[in-house]
Amino acid sequence: MRTLRYALRRLLVGALMLLALSMVVFVLLRLTPGDPVDAYVNPSSPLSPQDLLNLRASLGLDRPLPVQYLIWLREALQGDLGYASSGNGDPVLPLVLSRVGPTLLLMAVGLSIAVLAGMSAGVLGAVRRNGAADLSLSVLALAGISAPSFLLALIGLYVFAVRLGWAPSGGMETPGEPFSLPDLLRHLILPACLLSIGHGALVMRYTRGAMLEVLDADYVRTARAKGVREVAVIGLHALRNALLPVVTLIGSTIGLAVGGAVFIESVFNWPGMGLLLVTAVRARDYPVIMGATLVVGACVLLANILTDLIYVVIDPRIEVA
């Protein structure tokens, strides 16, 4: 029951944070240079001053900024995020939701690779502390943390797609061919691996640090003194108790993964939320920017809430306040 109350309280806090996020983004978009009406006007067919005034009034842009936000919020709570001002003028909500799946797929595979590779490397580095493997992995982790996502994407595209031809250069499927799982995996593996590099390096560093602290604990030395096999000592005793800070990191890096996905999707033309946001910013499509930001913020907040709840599963000693 306490866990349920905690989850409901975290959902309430998340909803308030999402409301604050929408306010900030709405105000920042209105403060950007230019006129939002320009996105609705065809440059080859300019409107008269009176037509511009009528268009502004029909869009509600002639009202005070707080009133504009409240109108948008009222419609958003009813599931209406407006219509895109660019392209075919499609409804924003179906347009955004159609891009959520590809982004979640890319992030899920990328973060899974990062967690598996990072935790394995972290455990190996802690067990072989100050050895050749530990030093090599530490250097690679430092390089992975330092390299920007857009640079990794460009280098990976050039080396593995252009020069070596090991992977497609972009898209989610081969044009003109029916959908198939092997074809999807061919397009997915390279951007997912590139997305995982920075996060895997962070997971490796945190896992190594947590494991080093746990391996020096008294209960680990006691288990070894009792003759428990080293694999069991590391897997059952040390790793489980070192997971909590790693889970904290994984939950906090989901937001960073969204930022990395923007660059990865733009470089590889992956049809997800990142590519949609970049396209909307270029076209000054304010309704799409607002809708996409709202959906991304909701996904990140939900992921953080789930991370908090996983703490209790990993370590039953934690009491929900």
Side-chain angles (χ1 to χ4, degrees):
M1 181 60 69
R2 288 188 300 174
T3 304
L4 178 60
R5 288 199 301 267
Y6 174 74
L8 293 176
R9 188 163 60 249
R10 290 288 286 114
L11 285 173
L12 177 60
V13 173
L16 295 176
M17 293 179 64
L18 194 61
L19 179 65
L21 174 65
S22 66
M23 291 181 184
V24 172
V25 175
F26 191 89
V27 172
L28 289 178
L29 287 177
R30 291 299 183 269
L31 293 178
T32 55
D35 192 342
V37 177
D38 295 340
Y40 295 88
V41 178
N42 188 350
S44 61
S45 302
L47 300 179
S48 64
Q50 184 60 44
D51 290 337
L52 286 175
L53 291 177
N54 294 336
L55 179 59
R56 182 182 297 276
S58 66
L59 296 174
L61 297 175
D62 59 337
R63 301 185 181 186
L65 187 61
V67 177
Q68 294 182 34
Y69 173 75
L70 291 177
I71 294 174
W72 176 87
L73 181 61
R74 181 192 64 192
E75 299 298 325
L77 292 176
Q78 298 175 1
D80 183 7
L81 297 178
Y83 294 85
S85 60
S86 59
N88 298 323
D90 298 324
V92 171
L93 185 58
L95 177 63
V96 171
L97 293 181
S98 67
R99 302 295 189 97
V100 172
T103 294
L104 290 180
L105 176 62
L106 177 62
M107 290 179 56
V109 176
L111 289 179
S112 298
I113 295 173
V115 171
L116 293 176
M119 290 186 63
S120 301
V123 172
L124 178 61
V127 174
R128 301 283 189 265
R129 71 174 75 180
N130 299 327
D134 183 26
L135 295 177
S136 300
L137 291 172
S138 297
V139 171
L140 292 176
L142 180 60
I145 294 173
S146 305
S149 297
F150 70 90
L151 181 60
L152 291 174
L154 292 174
I155 293 176
L157 177 66
Y158 177 75
V159 173
F160 297 103
V162 177
R163 300 294 298 179
L164 299 177
W166 290 356
S169 59
M172 194 174 175
E173 57 186 8
T174 302
E177 295 186 5
F179 173 81
S180 64
L181 183 59
D183 184 58
L184 173 62
L185 293 177
R186 287 182 61 249
H187 287 79
L188 174 63
I189 188 64
L190 179 57
C193 288
L194 293 173
L195 180 62
S196 70
I197 291 177
H199 306 289
L202 284 173
V203 172
M204 181 265 173
R205 297 297 297 171
Y206 268 72
T207 303
R208 179 185 181 276
M211 283 292 295
L212 287 177
E213 182 177 351
V214 171
L215 288 174
D216 291 333
D218 292 337
Y219 62 87
V220 173
R221 288 195 292 266
T222 302
R224 284 171 172 164
K226 289 182 176 180
V228 179
R229 291 185 303 171
E230 187 67 15
V231 174
V233 171
I234 296 173
L236 298 180
H237 296 277
L239 183 58
R240 181 175 180 180
N241 289 281
L243 277 180
L244 195 58
V246 178
V247 171
T248 306
L249 173 68
I250 295 172
S252 63
T253 56
I254 292 178
L256 298 176
V258 174
V262 171
F263 296 109
I264 298 294
E265 291 181 4
S266 300
V267 173
F268 286 90
N269 199 31
W270 186 265
M273 293 291 295
L275 184 60
L276 178 65
L277 269 172
V278 172
T279 304
V281 170
R282 289 175 178 171
R284 299 180 61 86
D285 195 333
Y286 293 167
V288 173
I289 296 174
M290 283 295 302
T293 304
L294 193 68
V295 172
V296 170
C299 292
V300 172
L301 290 173
L302 182 60
N304 289 330
I305 293 173
L306 292 176
T307 302
D308 292 341
L309 295 178
I310 291 175
Y311 291 167
V312 182
V313 177
I314 295 178
D315 191 348
R317 297 172 299 176
I318 297 178
E319 294 185 1
V320 179

